[in-house]
Amino acid sequence: MNIDLHIHTTASDGSLTPTQVVQEAQQAGLGVISVADHDTTSGVAEALEAQDAHDVIVVPGVEISASHPSGEAHILGYWMDHDDPAFQAFLERPRSTRGPRIIEMCKCLRGLGLEVRAEEVFEEAGGKEAVGRPHLAKVLLAKGYVKDMEEAFQGYLIKGAPAYVKRIKNSTAETIAAIHRFGGISVIAHPGLLKGPGLVDSLIQEGAMGIEVLCHEHDSAAAERYSEMADRNGLLKTGGSDYHGDMLEKSFRLGDLQVPYQFYLELKGVKARIQSPTRDR
Ligand SMILES: [Zn+2]
Ligand SMILES: [Zn+2]
């Protein structure tokens, strides 16, 4: 029986609801899955509720975007006490900086002679919480400052462009520590995609407990390399498809990636040794 410890739902940018994900997982013959949405655990409760009717074990998860001086990384967290308000506050922290970032970017644009106000962008986004660069690009387009979204991004909004302002994220060290503080297991997501020099080694030094060895981004040589790295450092091995339904143009289906059940048993063994009041499953 195979497992998949990295799945997105409509709680972030996946196309299936948590219940649909559990249904699909059952149809694909998966025994264990983790709902690991970007920076939110809001899909976890629904997935946990769906698991009993579908004979699929759901591991509560999250995939946190974090920054390190040498680059960006995604850190997976499993089985933390995600309902703890302090953990939710940790996840919320970068979200509360979305508004101020857009205000800064609008200031830069006005300095360039483009009359854009942050309020217009918030209105486009339906609020400050979810606002991002695509909303700003749409406003630029609507005002005729650019001919398409591409020009808005390339000319003004991408890293290095004149109105770019860095997005504030939790650091990788803070993220790993927070997952542990709330009784969870931290895992480096798709290390093969991490660009920063020495980034994976830095994350291990910061205390990451596992490495996502198997994923669609890794060919067999990469999987082998990360597997050896995990062994050398005494880390857990995990695997997941990073399934987003049909939101991303990827050619795989749930269940295509072969992740052994053994990975789940080892993960669970470590969780059992962590003292915390989290739910048991
Ligand atoms: Zn990711
Ligand atoms: Zn992902």
Side-chain angles (χ1 to χ4, degrees), residues 6 8 36 38 63 190 242 244:
H6 188 159
H8 295 271
H38 294 290
E63 181 179 27
H190 43 65
D242 209 358
H244 284 74

Side-chain angles (χ1 to χ4, degrees), residues 108-146:
C108 294
L109 288 165
R110 286 199 298 276
L112 298 165
L114 281 67
E115 279 310 314
V116 189
R117 287 179 302 112
E119 291 70 32
E120 299 172 293
V121 187
F122 296 154
E123 200 178 305
E124 174 68 40
K128 282 183 199 175
E129 290 281 284
V131 75
R133 286 180 298 170
H135 305 111
L136 182 47
K138 273 190 191 161
V139 172
L140 289 175
L141 184 61
K143 295 195 144 190
Y145 287 126
V146 292

Side-chain angles (χ1 to χ4, degrees), residues 39-70:
D39 305 306
T40 179
T41 55
S42 65
V44 168
E46 185 184 321
L48 286 172
E49 207 161 293
Q51 69 180 347
D52 295 326
H54 294 90
D55 205 21
V56 174
I57 295 171
V58 172
V59 176
V62 67
E63 181 179 27
I64 303 177
S65 304
S67 61
H68 183 277
S70 80

Side-chain angles (χ1 to χ4, degrees), residues 5 17 24 52 60 82 121 126 138 143 157 207-208 231 238 242:
L5 296 172
T17 64
E24 286 254 329
D52 295 326
H82 63 273
V121 187
K138 273 190 191 161
K143 295 195 144 190
L157 309 179
D231 289 340
T238 71
D242 209 358

